[in-house]
Amino acid sequence: MDHAFQKQIVEALIFASDVPISAKKIADLEEELDSRKIKKIVEELNSDYQKSKRAFFIANVAGGFQLNTRKDFTPWLKKLFKGRLRTRLSQASLESLAIITFKQPLSRVEVDAIRGVNSGGVIKNLLERNLVCIAGRSEGPGKPLLYGTTKEFLRYFGINDIADLPKPKEIDEIMGKLDQEEGISESIIETLTETESFEDESNHKDDSAQ
């Protein structure tokens, strides 16, 4: 099998998949390819798209590859999907999610302590939207449930790995915050809000129902 056809196979699989498809999954479907070759092919495809000024590119999202439209075309995509956009997260949800993201795993009581209000209802909503999950139990008194983020969280915000987000300390330095917990509850929300873009809305066939 020649290299040009291998590129077409990888491109077709990424295009057809309704969720980010991993290099391992692609390799399972085509035995002549391995993860190293697939990543190289993705780089070549993106280079091809850039040279030919295509309106899309292949992004690393939630541990896999996904075709995304470029941000330059957001105004037209908004017109296309007008009335079908999913409900954006509330400020309370973003705040709780930011805390869980950067301090996971942690309990609801710990989230409450940082936010200063009861977060039970907000966390329930995040669980229902599959943005957080139960990550175990604490060894502390009562063994409360611990919460962490999910792969759907990565997909929702269009990121490949939690490590791609700036650390709380880095955000605090950038924003000039003096109090670290304040940074978690305010500065990090800005980071998550910036990544909660329309570009992500327009590239998931099953997201409109969320």
Side-chain angles (χ1 to χ4, degrees), residues 110-179:
E110 291 174 297
V111 177
D112 292 349
I114 295 173
R115 293 189 64 224
V117 295
N118 188 304
S119 304
V122 175
I123 291 178
K124 181 182 177 182
N125 179 57
L126 293 174
L127 284 167
E128 290 174 350
R129 297 184 69 158
N130 196 30
L131 294 175
V132 302
C133 64
I134 296 171
R137 284 187 177 274
S138 170
E139 293 299 321
K143 295 186 178 295
L145 295 173
L146 299 174
Y147 299 97
T149 54
T150 64
K151 273 201 169 184
E152 180 60 25
F153 164 85
L154 298 176
R155 288 186 59 207
Y156 186 96
F157 289 100
I159 56 178
N160 188 47
D161 191 272
I162 291 296
D164 293 342
L165 290 170
K167 299 295 185 293
K169 182 178 179 181
E170 295 172 339
I171 294 179
D172 286 336
E173 290 174 353
I174 293 171
M175 301 298 292
K177 297 293 183 179
L178 298 177
D179 181 81

Side-chain angles (χ1 to χ4, degrees), residues 37-49 58 65:
K37 288 182 180 179
I38 292 165
K39 290 176 182 178
K40 179 65 176 176
I41 285 174
V42 168
E43 291 176 2
E44 292 177 8
L45 287 169
N46 273 330
S47 178
D48 293 344
Y49 299 156
I58 298 173
F65 301 113

Side-chain angles (χ1 to χ4, degrees), residues 56-198:
F56 50 83
F57 66 101
I58 298 173
N60 290 316
V61 177
F65 301 113
Q66 174 181 274
L67 274 171
N68 279 6
T69 46
R70 297 190 181 279
K71 290 183 178 180
D72 297 353
F73 302 97
T74 296
W76 293 273
L77 296 175
K78 282 184 176 179
K79 292 178 183 179
L80 176 64
F81 288 94
K82 186 176 181 180
R84 288 194 286 163
L85 298 184
R86 65 189 174 192
T87 304
R88 294 177 71 86
L89 292 172
S90 67
Q91 181 75 6
S93 293
L94 277 172
E95 185 174 286
S96 298
L97 189 54
I99 293 167
I100 293 171
T101 299
F102 289 93
K103 295 181 77 68
Q104 63 183 306
L106 79 168
S107 68
R108 194 211 73 192
V109 173
E110 291 174 297
V111 177
D112 292 349
I114 295 173
R115 293 189 64 224
V117 295
N118 188 304
S119 304
V122 175
I123 291 178
K124 181 182 177 182
N125 179 57
L126 293 174
L127 284 167
E128 290 174 350
R129 297 184 69 158
N130 196 30
L131 294 175
V132 302
C133 64
I134 296 171
R137 284 187 177 274
S138 170
E139 293 299 321
K143 295 186 178 295
L145 295 173
L146 299 174
Y147 299 97
T149 54
T150 64
K151 273 201 169 184
E152 180 60 25
F153 164 85
L154 298 176
R155 288 186 59 207
Y156 186 96
F157 289 100
I159 56 178
N160 188 47
D161 191 272
I162 291 296
D164 293 342
L165 290 170
K167 299 295 185 293
K169 182 178 179 181
E170 295 172 339
I171 294 179
D172 286 336
E173 290 174 353
I174 293 171
M175 301 298 292
K177 297 293 183 179
L178 298 177
D179 181 81
Q180 190 175 26
E181 297 299 348
E182 182 186 8
I184 290 172
S185 62
E186 294 181 5
S187 300
I188 295 177
I189 291 175
E190 290 193 23
T191 301
L192 293 184
T193 304
E194 287 173 3
T195 57
E196 189 190 10
S197 65
F198 182 84

